Amino acid sequence: MDDIRAARDAALAQVDAADSLESVTALDTHLLGKKGRLAQLKTRLGGLETVDEKKAAGRAVNEAVQAVSSSLENRRVELAEIELAAQVEAERIDLTEHVGKPARGRAHLVTQAWERLEDVFVGLGFRIAEGPEVETDWHNFEALNMGEGHPARGEFDTLFVDHGAAGDEGRAVLRTHTSPVQIRTMLEQEPPIYIVAPGRVFRRDTPDSTHMPVFHQIEGLVVDRNITMAHLAGTIEAFTKAFFGPGFSSRLRPNYFPFTEPSAEFDIRRPDGSWLELGGCGMVHPNVLRAGGIDPEQWSGFAFGFGIDRMATMRHGIDDIRDVFTDDLRFTEQF
């Protein structure tokens, strides 16, 4: 029994003296392996005279092994924490070099306009709808009353994705507007429908002061019983005052869009009396309602859409839309 206690105490002392994870691993093999002192003591149990002596000695050896094993594990955890703390200290980065009050980040100018538009329309009773940026040709064009060869499709200069055969109805495109979300919503939801669909869209445009090949739109759709142009005009007017302020008003001008009939452009009048074109709108074409699985004899609706980026530039008097996407801090920190 004295030999067992001596072996245990010597082993625990070695564990306490270990100063690295590697030395703990080596001690684990040395102290608890088959050639270790405690293992050698187990071989001597057979030489004891009585059964009680063998039981007592065997119990003492097992308790010693458990004590050494537990001590090794505790030392391993302790040294791991010490090494981690040393690594953290060695890799510390001094972030106190900034003189003055640290500047906080903020949402991008387009994100600010996006979120503000969502808040305004949610306040008017709409809900937010989303859809994929890679769309089928059917959702992006055909369901919106723009069949193959329709002249309006040329206005979008579509970017096609390499997927499917050239004549395949399911061929994919980068969506040219967020109108496909309207089709998906009508197919998935029974009227009445009151949604706005903000999102990123793509066209084959050369960047200039007013155009980008990747930009953002928000479109609205209302489908209910007995909806008229008066409801559309009232919604546009309510939105104009809610977003721009009480000094602004709106008007509708006749126009043509393949997915609405009748169609109109809507302008906003600024407090100085000048008018600014904002976007397109109109009553949802019966063909579009049918594509969405809705009977145009029972339901009617209106739709509208405009560019979020343009809204942001108009709101802040920015002359060149490219400035919004240059990530120049001298520009972005102004908003």
Side-chain angles (χ1 to χ4, degrees), residues 62-222:
N62 288 334
E63 290 175 351
V65 169
Q66 291 176 3
V68 173
S69 178
S70 177
S71 180
L72 282 166
E73 182 59 28
N74 291 337
R75 187 60 175 160
R76 184 179 288 109
V77 172
E78 182 181 353
L79 288 172
E81 292 177 350
I82 292 173
E83 289 194 8
L84 178 60
Q87 180 183 358
V88 170
E89 181 62 29
E91 296 177 358
R92 182 196 298 272
I93 299 176
D94 184 8
L95 301 177
T96 62
E97 296 181 3
H98 182 76
V99 179
K101 185 178 179 180
R104 296 183 61 185
R106 70 193 75 184
H108 188 271
L109 178 60
V110 172
T111 304
Q112 293 179 34
W114 184 322
E115 293 176 346
R116 179 175 168 80
L117 286 166
E118 287 186 341
D119 289 343
V120 168
F121 282 114
V122 168
L124 293 174
F126 289 78
R127 70 174 182 87
I128 309 301
E130 297 179 340
E133 293 182 350
V134 178
E135 267 292 6
T136 66
D137 182 86
W138 186 85
H139 284 92
N140 195 80
F141 290 122
E142 303 232 1
L144 292 164
N145 204 35
M146 289 184 284
E148 191 71 35
H150 194 291
R153 293 177 68 157
E155 300 174 2
F156 293 96
D157 286 329
T158 311
L159 294 163
F160 288 89
V161 177
D162 186 11
H163 173 72
D168 186 359
E169 290 183 357
R171 62 179 177 174
V173 301
L174 294 180
R175 66 180 182 186
T176 57
H177 44 186
T178 55
S179 300
V181 180
Q182 300 179 21
I183 299 297
R184 291 183 176 274
T185 301
M186 287 190 285
L187 290 171
E188 296 169 2
Q189 176 186 335
E190 293 289 334
I193 296 171
Y194 292 81
I195 64 154
V196 287
R200 184 168 55 174
V201 298
F202 310 83
R203 296 183 188 176
R204 198 187 299 273
D205 278 337
T206 301
D208 58 29
S209 61
T210 57
H211 298 86
M212 293 291 287
V214 181
F215 56 103
H216 305 83
Q217 278 189 341
I218 186 168
E219 299 198 14
L221 172 69
V222 169

Side-chain angles (χ1 to χ4, degrees), residues 314-330:
M314 288 191 303
R315 180 177 174 82
H316 296 284
I318 300 169
D319 296 328
D320 194 326
I321 196 172
R322 290 171 293 189
D323 292 337
V324 176
F325 300 100
T326 56
D327 293 330
D328 188 331
L329 286 177
R330 294 171 299 177

Side-chain angles (χ1 to χ4, degrees), residues 213-294:
V214 181
F215 56 103
H216 305 83
Q217 278 189 341
I218 186 168
E219 299 198 14
L221 172 69
V222 169
V223 178
D224 208 337
R225 297 190 186 277
N226 303 316
I227 295 296
T228 68
M229 284 288 286
H231 296 108
L232 170 60
T235 300
I236 296 296
E237 181 70 12
F239 157 74
T240 300
K241 294 187 180 302
F243 187 83
F244 292 100
F248 290 78
S249 60
S250 64
R251 71 180 180 187
L252 302 184
R253 291 181 293 105
N255 206 313
Y256 166 78
F257 301 106
F259 28 79
T260 52
E261 179 60 37
S263 302
E265 291 278 0
F266 64 93
D267 306 328
I268 59 170
R269 183 178 184 179
R270 293 178 285 202
D272 63 3
S274 61
W275 290 93
L276 189 65
E277 178 184 322
L278 196 61
C281 61
M283 301 300 293
V284 181
H285 198 289
N287 290 344
V288 177
L289 291 174
R290 292 190 189 96
I294 295 176

